[in-house]
Amino acid sequence: MENSNQETEIGQKAVATAGLVYFGSITTGFLGIVGAVIAIANNQSAGGLHLLASAFAFGLLANALYRH
């Protein structure tokens, strides 16, 4: 009986960790887009770097979601 409780607790921690990773990826992606828009509006050349970070975050998230 106790073994089942431990497995449930480990499963809940795994789901919570996955949720934090998804939230962090989405946050990084959107902040990258916002940073790119601000950089382009101020005629700075760092817009591409922000878009690269955004694409990388969204790409990792898509890979994690669509993996079998």
Side-chain angles (χ1 to χ4, degrees):
M1 185 87 168
E2 186 175 321
N3 197 11
S4 177
N5 289 339
Q6 288 176 349
E7 290 174 1
T8 303
E9 185 176 327
I10 291 171
Q12 288 175 346
K13 286 182 182 179
V15 169
T17 303
L20 288 174
V21 169
Y22 295 153
F23 178 75
S25 293
I26 291 171
T27 303
T28 302
F30 282 121
L31 288 178
I33 292 171
V34 170
V37 169
I38 292 171
I40 292 170
N42 291 332
N43 292 328
Q44 296 175 349
S45 61
L49 186 63
H50 290 284
L51 288 176
L52 181 66
S54 179
F56 187 70
F58 283 138
L60 288 177
L61 181 62
N63 184 26
L65 289 176
Y66 294 122
R67 181 178 288 185
H68 288 110

